[in-house]
Amino acid sequence: MTQFARNTVPEESAADENAKPWSAGNTSDPRGTIEGEWSSRWKGAADPTIPGDAPDKWKPGQGEARIVGDRVYLLFDWDSGKRRGLIEARREGPRRLVGKYINLNNPEITVPWVGLMVSDQRIDGYFTQGRVDFRR
């Protein structure tokens, strides 16, 4: 995990896949914090439980963020809520998150994850095979 985190340095970019709004948007969550509800999506691996899925297809869902001390927890789902994942990350500076993704339906699937808190409306996330992004 340390090597992945060291080599993965997300930078804010208008050309990033997560820069263009794609979520339905949620205006009920307070500004100035990442805590609360999010839209989520991931790609980079095929989910064998979804017929016809492929690594290049986005798996959309809903998410929720909680902050506990220097830790950020991002719980999210996909496949209409049938599958769930958790990102546990620590803050490294004001915008960088470093941690791991855990597949809650199959906890043996755990991979490093690095995120950039672009704003309280956008988190760009990277795992070893692809992306796990959040938008409001």
Side-chain angles (χ1 to χ4, degrees):
M1 180 164 70
T2 304
Q3 183 176 1
F4 177 76
R6 190 172 33 249
N7 295 335
T8 305
V9 184
E11 293 184 22
E12 185 175 346
S13 167
D16 187 90
E17 290 182 88
N18 201 27
K20 187 176 181 180
W22 51 265
S23 72
N26 183 349
T27 57
S28 65
D29 284 301
R31 292 288 196 155
T33 181
I34 64 164
E35 285 195 295
E37 295 180 14
W38 289 80
S39 292
S40 65
R41 67 181 187 173
W42 71 273
K43 74 173 186 175
D47 184 332
T49 68
I50 301 173
D53 190 33
D56 64 338
K57 291 185 179 179
W58 286 104
K59 278 63 94 177
Q62 300 302 306
E64 182 178 355
R66 293 287 172 241
I67 300 170
V68 180
D70 70 342
R71 299 281 175 177
V72 174
Y73 297 91
L74 297 159
L75 179 66
F76 64 100
D77 64 30
W78 68 94
D79 194 18
S80 302
K82 295 176 197 153
R83 313 287 292 166
R84 294 173 21 129
L86 176 68
I87 293 171
E88 176 189 1
R90 70 182 183 288
R91 290 177 182 257
E92 287 190 352
R95 301 188 329 148
R96 183 173 164 86
L97 300 170
V98 175
K100 62 185 173 184
Y101 154 77
I102 305 161
N103 182 317
L104 296 177
N105 293 82
N106 184 358
E108 291 150 10
I109 300 173
T110 301
V111 295
W113 182 88
V114 173
L116 177 67
M117 296 182 294
V118 175
S119 71
D120 60 7
Q121 303 294 301
R122 173 180 158 195
I123 300 172
D124 298 349
Y126 302 83
F127 70 102
T128 50
Q129 295 172 288
R131 300 288 300 257
V132 179
D133 294 333
F134 298 86
R135 287 293 298 222
R136 288 186 172 151

